[in-house]
Amino acid sequence: MIRWLASPAWDQVAHYRRLWLYAIAILVMIILVAPTLIVIPMSFSDSKYLTFPPTGWSLDWYRTFFQSSTWLMATKTSLLVAVFTVLVATPLGTLAAYAIHESRLAAMSGVHAILLSPMMVPVIMVAIGLYFIYARLELLNTKLGLVLAHAMLAIPLVVITVLAGLKTYDMNQERVARSLGAPRWLAFWTVTLPQIRPAILNAVLLSFLTSLDEVNVALFISGGDNSTITRVMFNSLRDEIDPLITVVSTCLVLVSVTIVLVVQLANRKSHQ
Amino acid sequence: MTSLPISIRSLTKAHGALTVLDGVDLDVRSGEFMTLLGPSGSGKTTLLMVIAGFIRPSAGQVLIGDKDMTRVPPHRRDLGMVFQNYALFPHMTVGENVAYPLKRRSYSKAEISDKVKAALKIVQLEALSERYPSQLSGGQKQRIALARAVSFDPRILLMDEPLSALDKKLREHMQIEIRDLHDRLGITTIYVTHDQREALTMSDRIAVINEGRIAQVDAPAALYEKPKSLFVADFIGDSTILPLHREAGRLMLNGAPINPGCAPEAIGTAPHLVIRPEKLELLRDGQLPAGQNLIEGSLRSALFQGDSVLVQVELADGAVLSLRQPGRQNLPEPGHRIRLGLPIADTVVLAGA
C-alpha cells in the first residue's frame, strides 16, 4: 500500500499527492449510489414498516410482490411500454438525426429545435397538454397513448445521441459506398449504421430508461389495467409506506443495471 | 475494358446568390487523364461531385459516353471514386472493402474472390486482404482505396485530392503509381488537385478552374509555356509578372523595349510580361545575342537552394524578379548591375484583367 502511494501515476506525480482527488472521486460515487444501496437491504426486511437498517431479514415482501396481480400487471405494462417506446423512438430519432446532419435546408435548424422541444418544456406541462389531447382522441389509459407520449420524451435524447455519433463519422464513406453501386438506403445500412452503432445502442438505453422511470406523464394519462409501475408506486406511497416499494425499486434497479451492462458489452464488442 | 468519354455542357450550380459553377464546358476524351486544377473554393470539387452524381446542377448536362447522366443517381453511374481521406470502411477487412462494389453487382462468389485478388494485385497488396484499415499505413490505405475503386472495372475513375494527406516523398511516389495504374487500365480519369506540380506531373490535359469557370484546358507543357491569362500564368509554376507600358506602338519595361514575339496590337489592354525563372539567361557586359529581350537591373541576393541558386534581381522601378542559375559562377556582387536575356520565343505577354 505504502509502496503504491509513493509510486508514480502515469504522468509521474506520485499517488499520495493526489489522495485528495481520489477522496473527492470516491465521495461523489458514494453520493450517487447511496440511495440505491440503502433501498436494496430494506427490501429484504421482515418489518411491516420502512426501516433502515432492517431489524430482521426475510423474503416476505418479494413473495407479496410476486403474488400481487396489480403489481405484476403494472410491471408488465411498464416493460411492454418501454420496449415499444424504444422501437418507436430509436428509428424515428435516428432518421431525424441523419436528416439534420445531412440536409442543407435552412429550415433544418428549425426542425432540430422542434425535435428537442419536449426537453425544454417542463414535463408536467407536457403531461397536462397530453391529458387534454388524449381525452379527445380516447387515448387515455391506453398502452398506445403511453408509448406515443414516452416516445415523444425519448426522441430528443435519441436525436442528441445519434447526432453526436454522426459528428465523429466520415460521411464520405457513405458517398464512396454509393459511388461503388449501393443505393442510398443500402449504403446507410451497410456502412453508416455499423459505425454509429454505439451511439444507437446508447439511444436505445436512454429511451428504455426514460420510459421505465417516467412518472409525471404516466400519472396523468395512465390508469386502470394500463397503469405503469411508477404510477402504482406513487399511489402506494401515498396510501401506506411499507417495504413492498423497496422490492419494486430493487427490481427496477436490477432491470436498469442489466440493460446498461448489456449495452456496454455490445459497445465493447463493436469497438473490437 | 471500354472506357468512355465525358462531356460536360454549360454546367451551372448556384446556391442562392452564390454561383459555384458558371457555365462550365469540358470534354474529357476516352482514356484520358484529365486534372481539374484550381485554388480552394474555385469549384473544382463541386464539378467532380456533379459528375459523380452527389450534387445536382442548376443547369447543364453531364454526358458519359453518349448517355445523359445528369439525373442518374450515383450508384447507377458505374464510376470508381477515391476520396481525399481514403474513406475506407473501418469495420470491414481490406478484402471486404475491395469486394464491396462487386457484391452490389451480380457476380458469383468465385468471381468476386478472383476480382478482389486481381484488384489487390494491381496495387501489389495481395497479402493484406485480411487486415483492417486501421492496421495499414497511409500509402497502403491509399492503394486499397484505389483497388476498391477499380475492382469492378468501372468506365470512369474520379479522384478528389487523393494524395493530399500523404507526406511529400510518398506523394511523389504515388503520383507516378497512379499515373502508371491509369496507363495500364486505360481508364478515363478525372483528378482534382490544387497542387499545380502534381497536375503537371500526372495529367494528359489540365483544366484550370477559377471562380467557377474554366480558365484554360491544355496539355501541361502548353499550359506552362503558353498560358492564355495572367491567372493561369500566375497559378502554374513560378513566375514574375511585370506590367508593361506602351510607347509609340512598342511595349516597354522600364524604358527598354520588349519584343513580345507577336504584334503588340494583338495584345489587349494593360499588357503584362510573364517571366519564368529558368528562361532567363545571365549576359556578360555588352553581349546581346540575337532573338533575346534585354532586361537590366541590380543583383539583390543569391540564395543557395541545393540543386540551383535562386537569384533575385531588382529592376529600376523597384520590382523584383527571380531566375534560377546552376551555380554562383559569373554572378556579380550584390548591388552590382546585372544584365539578363529573355529569348523572344519564351517571352509571354498577356493582357491584364
Side-chain angles (χ1 to χ4, degrees), chain A residues 104 169-170 172-184 186-188 190-192 194-195 272, chain B residues 15 49 54-55 74-75 79-81 83 85-92 100-101 104-105 148-149 152:
Chain A
R104 290 188 188 167
Y169 167 69
D170 172 19
N172 273 344
Q173 287 182 35
E174 197 179 292
R175 275 184 210 113
V176 161
R178 288 165 67 193
S179 78
L180 295 174
R184 195 167 192 173
L186 190 63
F188 177 82
T190 54
V191 174
T192 306
Q195 289 179 70
Q272 281 168 357
Chain B
H15 288 300
M49 292 299 160
F54 293 114
I55 295 176
H75 67 274
L79 35 85
M81 229 181 147
F83 280 86
N85 48 6
Y86 326 121
L88 293 177
F89 308 137
H91 58 299
M92 297 181 194
Y100 190 88
R104 309 280 85 83
R105 291 163 171 81
R148 182 177 64 179
F152 57 104

Side-chain angles (χ1 to χ4, degrees), chain A residues 36-52:
Chain A
T36 316
L37 292 183
I38 287 175
V39 159
I40 292 171
M42 281 163 84
S43 68
F44 294 101
S45 166
D46 64 354
S47 159
K48 271 184 182 270
Y49 307 97
L50 279 176
T51 49
F52 186 81

Side-chain angles (χ1 to χ4, degrees), chain B residues 14 25 38 40 87 94 103 109 121 127 155 166 180 191 242 247 260-261 287 298 300 307 329 334 353:
Chain B
D25 288 292
S40 60
V94 163
K103 282 183 186 153
K109 262 198 171 154
K121 197 170 179 195
R155 299 170 300 176
L166 302 177
D180 186 50
Y191 188 98
L242 302 167
E247 264 178 53
Q287 177 199 18
S298 61
R300 188 191 234 195
D307 55 345
Q329 307 93 311

